Amino acid sequence: MPTEPLIACEHCGNIFRRHELQRGETATCARCGTILWKYCGISLSSWLALCLTALIVFVVANAYPVMSMSVQGMSRDASLLDAVIMTWNQGYVLTAMMTGLAGFGVPLASLALLLWVLFPLTMGREPLGFRPIMRLFGALRPWGMVPVFLLGVLVSVVKLAGMAAVSPQPGLFAFGILTILMTLLSRLSPHALWRYAEQEGVVPIHTPKREPGKVLTGCHVCGQVQAVPAQAHDHSHSETPHCVRCHAVVHERKPASLTRTWALLLAAAALYVPANVLPIMNISSVFLGDSGHTILGGVVELWQTGSWDIALIVFVASIVVPLTKMLALAALAASVERCSPFNLRQRTRMYEMIEFIGQWSMLDVFVVILLAALAHFQGLMEISAGPAAASFGLVVVLTMLAAMSFDPRIAWDKEVQEESDNVTPQQGAQDERRPGSLNAEPQIERGSGRPSAASLQDSA
């Protein structure tokens, strides 16, 4: 019986044996090219130190203002929480809730959960409530947007530079450091934390056995590969299988993946129209009068003032990215429905790109709430969020949910199904590419960039 634990590719469903890597090595799926795991030389105590540092910097970043603004002898400064509270008081509750959770609530909760888990693990003990905490941590991870908020601060500085004197404050530098720390901590996924728990010997490693009518699949929370009934996502089954280790619900494939993806995409497309037609920001000024500004109008203004680089960033993040996400996801879903076997690797890379760029469209919403908090001089100048801010925020949320609902493994399953229809029964019995089977070898990419295969013999 093999001693190495198993790992499932999240993008094509292939199963591999996971073993230790050397410094600089990365294991990639030999079938779809997805990165399976990387060498990491950071110890649990080092991760704990990074997490504690990030929490301290987080407190500083939110306790101090990020920048200040002066107009006609009057000055005003604002922090992230000031901006959220101001937006709430102006009546834009949904916009305030989305930005408050993405910029403050989710990052704080993520750091607290990491500390709760890392403290006991460094002492060789299983954290209290480890299983539900890891499920919660995995659900929160995609929604923390500290880097997006930092970029929003920089864009706000450029927008206000032509109207008033703007100066950075300590909170801005703290957010810069926090962005670096949160980027480092993003490597601590739930799967990575479960692997650390395995190394410490505080959680079991289950080795599944082959049984008729069952396939191997990985738990989306802890990564544990286990045998589940074939087509476990079919609602005709009386019982829904649960992970043998973390007790999360396990599906062979995401339930109703295409239906949910199309529904969320259509809702996002419907909101995309008012998000770009209605004003995202309203300005009331004794110098400039009252005016409403759309997203595209803001890009044009930045370009006309000579800030073409910032205009390009805002245009890409606020217009190109959401539109690209919707079109790319629609193309992926349509290709799965057509059972297209072409360019599967390229389509997998496209899906990874959609996952990566998902949160950056929230940039303009952060810019608006910051401007509203800073440019609030009663009787002289006031900026408030417009009706498009909530619509645009919902577009970001819906497209991210659509990407999470889409299951790229279905396309690879259909490829295998088509190939199996063209072989004899004897050949089909020996098919080494069927989903849920331990059959392939991951590629180990070393620092030199030369790939080599790691031998995995199926002795299960």
Side-chain angles (χ1 to χ4, degrees):
M1 187 66 66
T3 58
E4 293 104 335
L6 304 182
I7 185 172
C9 176
E10 296 180 348
H11 290 156
C12 74
N14 257 19
I15 309 297
F16 303 91
R17 297 205 188 285
R18 193 182 77 242
H19 52 80
E20 294 298 324
L21 299 178
Q22 301 300 315
R23 184 180 296 275
E25 289 184 338
T26 300
T28 58
C29 178
R31 187 184 187 195
C32 70
T34 298
I35 295 177
L36 298 172
W37 73 97
K38 296 181 179 180
Y39 170 83
C40 182
I42 304 178
S43 64
L44 278 172
S45 56
S46 298
W47 283 120
L48 179 59
L50 276 174
C51 195
L52 282 170
T53 304
L55 183 61
I56 294 171
V57 175
F58 180 88
V59 172
V60 174
N62 288 278
Y64 290 91
V66 291
M67 61 180 177
S68 62
M69 174 181 177
S70 299
V71 176
Q72 298 291 317
M74 297 182 293
S75 63
R76 187 176 179 85
D77 52 34
S79 63
L80 169 60
L81 291 179
D82 292 332
V84 172
I85 293 171
M86 177 64 69
T87 305
W88 182 287
N89 291 336
Q90 289 175 343
Y92 296 96
V93 176
L94 184 57
T95 304
M97 290 177 62
M98 286 189 292
T99 51
L101 288 173
F104 181 84
V106 171
L108 178 59
S110 298
L111 289 175
L113 293 175
L114 278 177
L115 286 173
W116 182 271
V117 168
L118 290 173
F119 264 119
L121 285 181
T122 55
M123 295 182 286
R125 294 188 291 105
E126 181 180 346
L128 183 64
F130 186 47
R131 289 158 178 78
I133 285 176
M134 283 296 94
R135 290 199 290 271
L136 177 59
F137 178 64
L140 291 177
R141 282 185 79 233
W143 305 102
M145 302 183 186
V146 170
V148 184
F149 173 72
L150 177 64
L151 183 58
V153 175
L154 300 179
V155 173
S156 301
V157 170
V158 176
K159 278 181 172 287
L160 291 174
M163 297 186 293
V166 181
S167 59
Q169 296 298 311
L172 176 60
F173 303 105
F175 265 108
I177 299 173
L178 181 62
T179 297
I180 298 172
L181 293 173
M182 295 296 285
T183 302
L184 292 173
L185 288 171
S186 66
R187 293 189 62 181
L188 279 181
S189 65
H191 289 192
L193 288 167
W194 275 97
R195 287 198 289 269
Y196 275 115
E198 290 174 4
Q199 294 170 8
E200 294 297 317
V202 299
V203 295
I205 301 176
H206 173 72
T207 302
K209 294 182 179 179
R210 293 267 182 85
E211 297 180 26
K214 291 190 175 183
V215 295
L216 298 181
T217 191
C219 173
H220 68 284
V221 175
C222 70
Q224 172 68 63
V225 174
Q226 53 213 286
V228 299
Q231 303 299 321
H233 56 284
D234 193 338
H235 295 290
S236 61
H237 285 77
S238 58
E239 293 185 4
T240 302
H242 287 74
C243 178
V244 297
R245 186 165 67 174
C246 73
H247 312 311
V249 175
V250 177
H251 296 282
E252 181 190 351
R253 297 295 180 259
K254 295 178 182 178
S257 171
L258 289 178
T259 303
R260 294 182 181 184
T261 301
W262 280 118
L264 291 165
L265 276 179
L266 289 174
L271 287 171
Y272 187 71
V273 176
N276 285 274
V277 173
L278 298 177
I280 194 171
M281 179 174 65
N282 296 314
I283 299 179
S284 177
S285 171
V286 295
F287 306 109
L288 305 175
D290 297 341
S291 59
H293 297 256
T294 62
I295 294 175
L296 188 58
V299 173
V300 173
E301 287 179 6
L302 286 170
W303 187 279
Q304 291 175 344
T305 57
S307 302
W308 62 268
D309 47 353
I310 302 297
L312 185 61
I313 292 174
V314 176
F315 178 76
V316 170
S318 300
I319 296 178
V320 175
V321 167
L323 189 60
T324 300
K325 284 193 298 182
M326 289 187 289
L327 293 177
L329 267 177
L332 290 176
S335 64
V336 171
E337 288 188 330
R338 295 197 313 269
C339 301
S340 173
F342 301 107
N343 302 320
L344 286 176
R345 276 206 168 205
Q346 289 80 356
R347 282 151 55 184
T348 303
R349 301 289 83 75
M350 182 188 295
Y351 179 71
E352 290 177 342
M353 181 269 294
I354 293 171
E355 288 185 308
F356 175 75
I357 66 176
Q359 60 180 228
W360 289 96
S361 301
M362 192 64 80
L363 172 65
D364 246 338
V365 184
F366 279 120
V367 171
V368 168
I369 68 166
L370 273 172
L371 295 179
L374 282 168
H376 188 74
F377 301 98
Q378 196 72 32
L380 185 63
M381 176 189 295
E382 289 186 30
I383 295 179
S384 63
S391 298
F392 196 79
L394 288 174
V395 170
V396 177
V397 171
L398 290 171
T399 51
M400 290 179 66
L401 289 174
M404 295 175 192
S405 300
F406 182 76
D407 195 337
R409 295 172 296 181
I410 299 176
W412 293 94
D413 293 345
K414 291 182 180 295
E415 179 207 37
V416 174
Q417 184 178 2
E418 287 190 357
E419 290 182 357
S420 64
D421 291 340
N422 298 323
V423 299
T424 64
Q426 291 79 9
Q427 291 173 322
Q430 298 176 353
D431 184 10
E432 294 188 346
R433 299 181 63 190
R434 64 189 184 279
S437 60
L438 178 61
N439 47 51
E441 301 177 355
Q443 291 183 332
I444 309 300
E445 297 183 358
R446 296 184 172 86
S448 61
R450 293 172 296 180
S452 64
S455 177
L456 299 177
Q457 298 298 327
D458 181 10
S459 56

